[in-house]
């Protein structure tokens, strides 16, 4: 009975948040100003950029965020190049996939959407700090979602082993990203490091992220997608703004939606929960707390 109630509540919270977003997008124009998640698409994108720009250098490096080994290998390869790092956008994600585990044994939403980005960011912090300077901070952009408003965290069951819900797992991963974003920014401020962290909500974007909806939900989505959903370019606009806008120089700890500062959930600002989540995340990926 508890499992059923947990599933139903997670389902209701996620879809209510979705309805709120769609109503907002119906009456508000998108804030305006692509990359693949597999190797062949990434290489094709690089080739296209090189052809269009005809200058500069663009390179694709493969990274599987569902594998902590892949994350560590990527960081080693990147650092071996001796390059600076001024902007890091944590954008990858899955949504509503059936219950699955990563190669490290983590629930897939939690492992890919959150832990992979957590480890990647922490391992690259030293490069980001060295690359930033007063008046020209390095920037970390973390993609969250309005689904975080319905997210709940159970620290003793982050993997959903006691009670699994695809909707609850997705919302939890997006809430975890916000807790991470705010806690990391506070750490950077205390140390005076020239790095800012901002979280971004891209809105409801018409991408393959919705492929795991139920058949009924897919059918209901179709008439709304073209009218109300953002295009991928529109969905990326706030992230690009966060990464490049001069008015955000040195400003961090924000939750941005449609190009504007927005209040995230009350739970996301809970500093005790942020700290506990940080410690638990370090333990899960095998990092010493600092």
């Amino acid at each position: 009975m508890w499992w059923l109630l947990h599933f139903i509540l997670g389902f209701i919270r996620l879809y209510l948040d979705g309805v709120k977003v769609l109503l907002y997008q119906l009456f508000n124009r998108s804030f305006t100003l692509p990359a693949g998640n597999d190797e062949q698409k990434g290489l094709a994108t690089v080739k296209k950029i090189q052809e269009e720009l005809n200058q500069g250098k663009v390179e694709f490096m493969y990274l599987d965020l569902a594998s902590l080994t892949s994350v560590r290998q990527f960081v080693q390869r990147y650092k071996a190049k001796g390059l600076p790092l001024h902007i890091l956008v944590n954008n990858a994600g899955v949504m509503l996939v059936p219950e699955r585990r990563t190669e490290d044994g983590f629930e897939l939403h939690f492992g890919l959407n959150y832990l992979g980005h957590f480890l990647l960011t922490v391992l690259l912090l030293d490069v980001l700090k060295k690359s930033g300077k007063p008046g020209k901070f390095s920037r970390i952009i973390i993609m969250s979602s309005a689904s975080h408003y319905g997210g709940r965290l159970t620290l003793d069951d982050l993997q959903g082993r006691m009670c699994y819900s695809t909707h609850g797992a997705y919302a939890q991963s997006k809430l975890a990203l916000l807790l991470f974003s705010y806690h990391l920014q506070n750490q950077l401020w205390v140390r005076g490091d020239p790095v800012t962290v901002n979280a971004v909500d891209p809105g409801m974007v018409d991408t393959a992220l919705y492929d795991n909806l139920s058949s009924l939900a897919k059918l209901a989505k179709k008439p709304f997608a073209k009218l109300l959903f953002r295009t991928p370019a529109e969905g990326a606009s706030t992230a690009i703004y966060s990464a490049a806008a001069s008015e955000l120089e040195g400003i961090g700890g924000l939750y941005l939606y449609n190009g504007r500062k927005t209040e995230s959930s009350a739970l996301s600002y809970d500093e005790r929960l942020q700290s506990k989540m940080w410690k638990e995340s370090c333990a899960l990926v095998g990092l010493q707390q600092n």
Side-chain angles (χ1 to χ4, degrees):
M1 180 61 71
W2 164 245
W3 178 89
L4 181 60
L5 180 61
H6 181 77
F7 177 85
I8 292 173
L9 287 176
F11 180 90
I12 291 173
R13 284 195 296 262
L14 187 66
Y15 282 93
L16 281 177
D17 289 333
V19 169
K20 291 176 184 177
V21 173
L22 283 179
L23 287 173
Y24 177 90
Q25 293 183 180
L26 174 63
F27 296 105
N28 294 270
R29 295 184 61 184
S30 172
F31 173 76
T32 56
L33 278 175
N37 62 351
D38 66 55
E39 192 163 9
Q40 292 305 312
K41 288 182 180 179
L43 292 172
T45 301
V46 166
K47 183 178 180 181
K48 182 179 179 182
I49 293 172
Q50 289 173 332
E51 290 173 350
E52 291 179 355
L53 294 180
N54 197 29
Q55 61 181 352
K57 183 177 180 181
V58 183
E59 183 177 350
F60 174 81
M61 294 176 63
Y62 181 76
L63 166 62
D64 180 4
L65 282 161
S67 164
L68 299 184
T69 297
S70 178
V71 172
R72 289 188 170 92
Q73 290 174 344
F74 171 86
V75 171
Q76 289 176 349
R77 291 196 306 272
Y78 187 86
K79 289 184 175 180
K81 293 178 179 293
L83 297 171
L85 180 59
H86 300 103
I87 298 171
L88 174 63
V89 181
N90 291 321
N91 182 58
V94 293
M95 183 175 77
L96 306 184
V97 296
E99 187 173 8
R100 287 166 51 192
R101 303 284 161 182
T102 68
E103 67 176 42
D104 303 288
F106 301 116
E107 188 278 321
L108 184 59
H109 293 90
F110 184 78
L112 192 158
N113 294 2
Y114 172 66
L115 272 186
H117 287 117
F118 174 86
L119 180 61
L120 176 68
T121 304
V122 173
L123 292 180
L124 288 172
L125 269 181
D126 57 342
V127 185
L128 286 156
K129 291 175 183 178
K130 290 177 183 177
S131 304
K133 58 184 180 181
K136 194 66 176 178
F137 280 38
S138 296
R139 302 187 187 193
I140 300 169
I141 294 89
I142 295 178
M143 302 297 284
S144 186
S145 163
S147 65
H148 88 273
Y149 288 105
R152 300 293 184 271
L153 273 174
T154 304
L155 288 172
D156 59 354
D157 188 31
L158 291 169
Q159 313 306 320
R161 289 188 170 91
M162 291 189 293
C163 185
Y164 184 76
S165 159
T166 57
H167 300 82
Y170 177 69
Q172 174 187 252
S173 72
K174 293 302 180 179
L175 173 59
L177 284 168
L178 273 176
L179 293 167
F180 168 51
S181 175
Y182 296 149
H183 187 75
L184 176 58
Q185 182 63 84
N186 285 334
Q187 286 189 330
L188 293 166
W189 274 330
V190 168
R191 297 170 183 170
D193 293 317
V195 183
T196 57
V197 188
N198 287 306
V200 169
D201 176 0
M204 296 186 74
V205 184
D206 194 13
T207 68
L209 198 63
Y210 293 89
D211 286 353
N212 291 298
L213 290 174
S214 65
S215 298
L216 183 60
K218 283 183 180 177
L219 188 63
K221 167 184 172 285
K222 281 186 177 181
F224 295 102
K226 295 295 182 184
L227 178 64
L228 300 178
F229 279 44
R230 304 301 196 207
T231 66
E234 289 171 338
S237 61
T238 298
I240 296 171
Y241 170 74
S242 181
S246 59
E247 59 265 33
L248 292 181
E249 176 58 47
I251 298 176
L254 303 182
Y255 178 64
L256 299 166
Y257 174 54
N258 211 33
R260 293 192 290 269
K261 178 182 177 181
T262 306
E263 291 294 311
S264 56
S265 69
L267 193 59
S268 68
Y269 295 113
D270 186 330
E271 293 186 1
R272 289 184 62 188
L273 185 59
Q274 292 170 13
S275 181
K276 288 180 180 179
M277 192 64 194
W278 177 274
K279 292 177 182 177
E280 181 66 18
S281 301
C282 286
L284 290 172
V285 301
L287 289 176
Q288 290 187 342
Q289 299 174 26
N290 49 30

